[in-house]
Amino acid sequence: RLVADLQELSKVEGGAIDLKIQPLSVRSVIEKVISRFQQPYQAKSVQLMMDVESETFSVLADEDRLQQILTNLLSNALLYSPSGGSVTVQARQEDQFVAFQVRDSGIGIAAEHLPLVFTRFYRIDKSRARASGGSGVGLTISKHLVEAQGGRIWVESDGPGKGSRFFFTLPANRK
């Protein structure tokens, strides 16, 4: 898995990915990704919710890559959320962009770590091995995929024990 992740990272960092940018229903894409996570979230007793402003607004994006970004964020949210916690995927249309947010009630991130979370192989919890913490490149890949589609990505947290909020924007489909 690490080799595949590194190959993927090499492609996205080098701009060697083919994007099929098209209008996509925001609600539909989020529902697809959430449906794949129902079982693992239930198994850990973490509540997974969706908060999408409208049934009808759409984003200009590559569907597979948007799903990959959401999958990376939801995987991390599950990994760092305790049993009994919650994760919410939210989307809102804001002027020229659709703003996505993945909010969790997990372990949170200290301020000094926030600027580094999108750096390859960076781990906030140094005790996590690849087996329990992933390959360490998912957020780096997500950052490049968001930027390749004309958006930006960032993270906020009020500190350890207070959860995290991962945000990203992509261009709205302004019919």
Side-chain angles (χ1 to χ4, degrees), residues 6-172:
L6 289 173
Q7 288 174 333
E8 177 77 6
L9 179 59
S10 178
K11 278 195 253 180
V12 290
E13 283 183 333
I17 55 170
D18 291 324
L19 295 173
K20 297 177 184 102
I21 303 295
Q22 60 186 336
L24 302 169
S25 162
V26 171
R27 178 174 288 278
S28 175
V29 172
I30 292 173
E31 284 174 343
K32 284 179 192 173
V33 175
I34 283 180
S35 72
R36 291 195 307 256
F37 278 94
Q38 289 300 328
Q39 194 283 324
Y41 268 75
Q42 287 173 354
K44 191 173 176 183
S45 297
V46 175
Q47 186 177 15
L48 179 56
M49 299 168 285
M50 179 175 72
D51 176 12
V52 178
E53 179 179 60
S54 167
E55 298 283 331
T56 60
F57 72 101
S58 60
V59 64
L60 290 173
D62 179 293
E63 184 170 11
D64 292 338
R65 299 310 185 166
L66 177 52
Q67 287 185 28
Q68 184 176 4
I69 295 161
L70 289 167
T71 296
N72 286 341
L73 295 176
L74 286 175
S75 294
N76 282 350
L78 178 60
L79 188 63
Y80 294 105
S81 292
S83 179
S86 65
V87 173
T88 302
V89 180
Q90 184 180 67
R92 302 277 184 262
Q93 186 159 341
E94 297 178 358
D95 299 321
Q96 309 281 325
F97 293 92
V98 173
F100 295 85
Q101 179 185 163
V102 176
R103 181 177 63 244
D104 67 59
S105 62
I107 64 169
I109 304 170
E112 65 268 19
H113 295 290
L114 291 172
L116 303 169
V117 298
F118 296 101
T119 304
R120 71 167 72 184
F121 303 124
Y122 188 78
R123 292 185 193 283
I124 293 166
D125 182 353
K126 305 297 184 202
S127 68
R128 287 201 182 261
R130 266 196 298 278
S132 61
S135 65
V137 297
L139 290 176
T140 307
I141 291 170
S142 294
K143 178 181 188 294
H144 287 285
L145 290 175
V146 166
E147 291 172 351
Q149 294 178 85
R152 67 184 199 96
I153 189 169
W154 68 100
V155 61
E156 296 176 2
S157 177
D158 294 328
K162 299 185 179 174
S164 303
R165 298 170 308 280
F166 283 82
F167 299 89
F168 68 97
T169 61
L170 291 173

